[in-house]
Amino acid sequence: MTNSVYDFACKTISGESKSMADYKGEVLLIVNTASKCGFTPQYKGLEQLYQQYKDRGLQVLGFPCNQFGSQEPGSEDEISEFCELNFGVSFPLFAKVDVNGDKADPLFIFLKDQAPGIMGSKGIKWNFTKFLIDKSGHPVDRYAPTTKPEAIAADIEKLLG
């Protein structure tokens, strides 16, 4: 039975397989992202969190997703270039995934199961849903797309210790 995010491997935006176990002992903020969404400016806030806390053990992991309003239509190369040019994104980005439905990425199935949304709903409602993972690989919280990255800073601080 899966009991942490470390049991998963995901494809990076450049196509390599990356074990989530490589992030053991770090706090993770896993986000489903999109380049053409009203929440896209949150990339800036996510990058600021990453810069502020990466030396203390925070990793922000972006997972582009095209399931909400087709707001991530580009290729992996286009997404990577967009994030770098427009928001200076330096945190790890992964290959495009589905977060809901029959083809949902196994990592997101696990995250939704461990950290359900409002009133226990499992489905991810929109881009920029955020999952906060503790140093043991366990999801501790889920944040709505409307939650600005800077609003999560205090929770990240607690987990970093």
Side-chain angles (χ1 to χ4, degrees):
M1 182 173 163
T2 302
N3 58 10
S4 84
V5 297
Y6 304 141
D7 296 334
F8 298 92
C10 300
K11 199 163 87 170
T12 68
I13 200 148
S14 53
E16 299 103 41
S17 182
K18 174 84 170 158
S19 171
M20 291 293 115
D22 292 350
Y23 297 113
K24 271 190 178 157
E26 296 184 284
V27 172
L28 305 177
L29 186 63
I30 298 176
V31 188
N32 65 302
T33 61
S35 300
K36 299 187 180 339
C37 174
F39 296 118
T40 300
Q42 286 190 23
Y43 268 127
K44 186 175 181 199
L46 292 168
E47 179 64 21
Q48 285 171 333
L49 282 179
Y50 179 62
Q51 291 301 327
Q52 186 175 351
Y53 295 113
K54 68 179 180 180
D55 293 339
R56 290 179 53 198
L58 173 72
Q59 289 287 339
V60 175
L61 307 179
F63 286 83
C65 177
N66 195 38
Q67 284 190 292
F68 305 101
S70 298
Q71 294 180 341
E72 190 60 280
S75 68
E76 269 82 5
D77 286 347
E78 289 167 331
I79 294 165
S80 186
E81 191 175 315
F82 172 86
C83 291
E84 204 173 309
L85 287 176
N86 292 286
F87 298 101
V89 167
S90 64
F91 58 80
L93 292 172
F94 288 80
K96 257 203 290 202
V97 296
D98 280 1
V99 297
N100 290 330
D102 294 343
K103 295 185 178 131
D105 185 275
L107 173 62
F108 279 87
I109 294 170
F110 172 74
L111 291 172
K112 293 185 300 183
D113 191 50
Q114 296 295 305
I118 293 172
M119 298 174 70
S121 70
K122 300 265 180 170
I124 290 177
K125 299 215 175 357
W126 203 254
N127 304 307
F128 291 91
T129 296
K130 300 157 204 73
F131 293 91
L132 188 60
I133 316 300
D134 69 16
K135 291 180 183 180
S136 304
H138 301 114
V140 292
D141 218 334
R142 173 177 178 162
Y143 303 91
T146 51
T147 303
K148 289 187 166 60
E150 52 272 25
I152 302 171
D155 293 343
I156 291 169
E157 287 265 0
K158 276 186 232 154
L159 292 180
L160 290 172

